[in-house]
Amino acid sequence: KVAATFCREEIISLLSDSHIIPLGVSIHSAQGAQLAQLLNAVAYPLVAVLQPTRGNTLEVILKIQGPVLVKLSAMALQGHLQNTLRRHQLVIAELEARRLEREEENQLRAQQDAEYEATLEADRQRQREQEDERERLRREQEEFEKVVREEQEAKDNRIDAARSLLRGEPSDGSITQIRFVLPSGRKIVRKFGSDEKVKVLKAFLTLHFHENDLDEIPNIGLSMNYPKKSFDSEDDEDLTLQEAALSPQAVLMVQDLDA
């Protein structure tokens, strides 16, 4: 009779609710024996409705067993089940509300975590950019210092080379007097031995600029207006003043060949 009752369409429809998980077992099975002990069954057949609690355990909210169940009609059993499920709906609503609340909390936490991570990444990106900028400035400073150092070394080498070439101004013997006209228009007059070479003239100018705190001309050019001639090649620099037709006197225009 009980089996026939549970096979009635109204009972099947009731048990098909999405919030219900129906389970039927035999008392002679291991699972049935375990459930009988859990439910403190004292008579059979037995129908029980269990609902989850806040502590993630199961609470018995309906238990009908033995002769009482056998005597129940399908309508009476349906009434008991419906009343129990209506009470259970409040629990379901509360559980659903808690689920939605947890979901909202999780979403909020995920959003906060994402915003926090984005903030951290932005900070890390700013830090990387600052480090890159510091590295760029450091390299630029090193390159600048290297250029300054190389320029100073080149200047020192030019000064040393000029000192090694230049002799004192002669007072006798074959003398050539040179009037230099600087790019600024300033004129310098100095005497040289006629056997000295053209590159000595450039050595004199290099030292003159250095010792008088004038703007240096690393690449000095020399030329005559009449007859028009320049002395810029290595061959020209190796000519003596006599060979270059600058003796006994000449006027030379000084140019900056890098200007």
Side-chain angles (χ1 to χ4, degrees):
K1 178 182 179 184
V2 173
T5 298
F6 274 91
C7 290
R8 295 284 294 269
E9 181 178 347
E10 56 268 30
I11 300 299
I12 293 174
S13 175
L14 184 64
L15 296 178
S16 298
D17 188 284
S18 61
H19 296 102
I20 296 176
I21 302 176
L23 174 65
V25 295
S26 170
I27 187 59
H28 301 295
S29 68
Q31 188 177 26
Q34 184 180 6
L35 284 173
Q37 183 179 4
L38 176 67
L39 296 171
N40 295 320
V42 296
Y44 303 97
L46 181 147
V47 170
V49 178
L50 292 81
Q51 73 175 14
T53 65
R54 294 180 180 179
N56 294 323
T57 60
L58 294 175
E59 178 185 2
V60 179
I61 58 176
L62 175 66
K63 184 169 71 172
I64 307 173
Q65 56 188 331
V68 177
L69 178 59
V70 173
K71 293 177 182 179
L72 280 181
S73 65
M75 183 175 296
L77 178 60
Q78 180 182 7
H80 282 297
L81 292 173
Q82 285 176 334
N83 289 335
T84 300
L85 293 177
R86 273 196 293 271
R87 292 195 305 273
H88 182 58
Q89 291 300 319
L90 296 175
V91 176
I92 293 175
E94 183 179 355
L95 291 174
E96 180 66 13
R98 290 209 304 272
R99 184 190 69 79
L100 292 175
E101 184 179 356
R102 286 194 302 271
E103 186 175 299
E104 290 178 357
E105 289 176 352
N106 291 337
Q107 290 177 348
L108 178 59
R109 188 176 298 108
Q111 180 180 353
Q112 290 174 338
D113 290 345
E115 292 174 352
Y116 178 68
E117 183 60 32
T119 301
L120 286 180
E121 179 58 29
D123 290 341
R124 287 192 290 266
Q125 179 63 27
R126 282 193 296 272
Q127 185 175 0
R128 286 193 294 268
E129 291 175 353
Q130 290 171 356
E131 290 175 354
D132 291 344
E133 179 64 13
R134 285 194 293 270
E135 178 63 19
R136 184 186 67 80
L137 293 176
R138 185 190 65 80
R139 290 196 300 268
E140 287 184 355
Q141 182 64 25
E142 286 184 350
E143 185 63 27
F144 173 75
E145 292 175 356
K146 179 182 177 183
V147 170
V148 170
R149 187 167 56 252
E150 290 176 348
E151 289 179 350
Q152 185 60 46
E153 290 175 355
K155 180 178 180 180
D156 292 342
N157 291 336
R158 287 193 297 271
I159 297 300
D160 291 341
R163 285 198 175 106
S164 67
L165 288 175
L166 190 63
R167 305 198 302 248
E169 189 170 6
S171 59
D172 54 22
S174 179
I175 296 175
T176 297
Q177 179 173 287
I178 302 294
R179 182 188 296 270
F180 298 98
V181 180
L182 302 184
S184 63
R186 180 181 175 184
K187 298 176 178 60
I188 305 170
V189 178
R190 207 242 194 214
K191 296 175 181 177
F192 299 88
S194 299
D195 61 340
E196 293 186 84
K197 296 183 178 182
V198 172
K199 58 186 175 184
V200 173
L201 305 182
K202 296 184 178 181
F204 162 74
L205 291 170
T206 297
L207 288 174
H208 179 81
F209 296 146
H210 174 68
E211 292 170 353
N212 292 277
D213 293 326
L214 300 176
D215 291 338
E216 184 189 17
I217 302 178
N219 193 6
I220 297 173
L222 297 175
S223 64
M224 295 173 57
N225 284 336
Y226 184 80
K228 195 165 187 63
K229 180 176 176 55
S230 62
F231 304 91
D232 299 329
S233 69
E234 292 185 4
D235 291 340
D236 292 331
E237 291 184 350
D238 284 333
L239 295 174
T240 65
L241 302 186
Q242 186 72 43
E243 293 170 339
L246 297 176
S247 183
Q249 62 181 11
V251 176
L252 292 178
M253 312 301 295
V254 181
Q255 296 97 26
D256 183 352
L257 296 181
D258 294 332

